[in-house]
Amino acid sequence: MIDPRYDFQLLLEGEDLDEDDINDYIRSHFEGEELLVVGDDELIKLHFHTNKPYEVLEYMMSLGEVYDIVVEDMDRQSRGLKG
């Protein structure tokens, strides 16, 4: 089994967003790897490998409007199945 299992991506739209603050919060509060938080004060792209994408989603929803959510199961993909 691949660990962490899920490749999680989303876009966050809001006001006064700070990619460094978001990055630091996720690193200190959620387990995972391959974190990428990029954007500006109005739009952030998140990419993260984690076993609990729903926890990160809840945090991101508290910051603004979340859309284009993608959760891919990398374990299924490694077995040749749709993720």
Side-chain angles (χ1 to χ4, degrees):
M1 179 182 235
I2 291 180
D3 189 37
R5 184 172 183 158
Y6 299 102
D7 179 345
F8 179 54
Q9 303 169 49
L10 60 75
L11 293 174
L12 169 67
E13 190 172 346
E15 296 179 11
D16 300 321
L17 299 172
D18 186 312
E19 64 185 289
D20 293 327
D21 288 346
I22 294 169
N23 187 321
D24 293 345
Y25 186 90
I26 291 172
R27 287 190 188 280
S28 65
H29 289 85
F30 305 108
E31 291 185 26
E33 56 189 42
E34 305 294 331
L35 176 61
L36 180 63
V37 179
V38 296
D40 57 31
D41 63 342
E42 295 179 351
L43 183 65
I44 297 287
K45 166 80 176 186
L46 169 81
H47 176 264
F48 191 41
H49 294 176
T50 182
N51 286 325
K52 298 179 180 179
Y54 49 89
E55 291 179 353
V56 182
L57 176 59
E58 184 175 40
Y59 164 66
M60 296 298 282
M61 289 173 62
S62 75
L63 301 176
E65 187 175 350
V66 174
Y67 62 100
D68 286 349
I69 302 165
V70 176
V71 180
E72 296 179 328
D73 186 331
M74 295 184 296
D75 186 65
R76 286 181 54 84
Q77 289 175 340
S78 73
R79 294 182 280 135
L81 304 171
K82 284 192 172 190

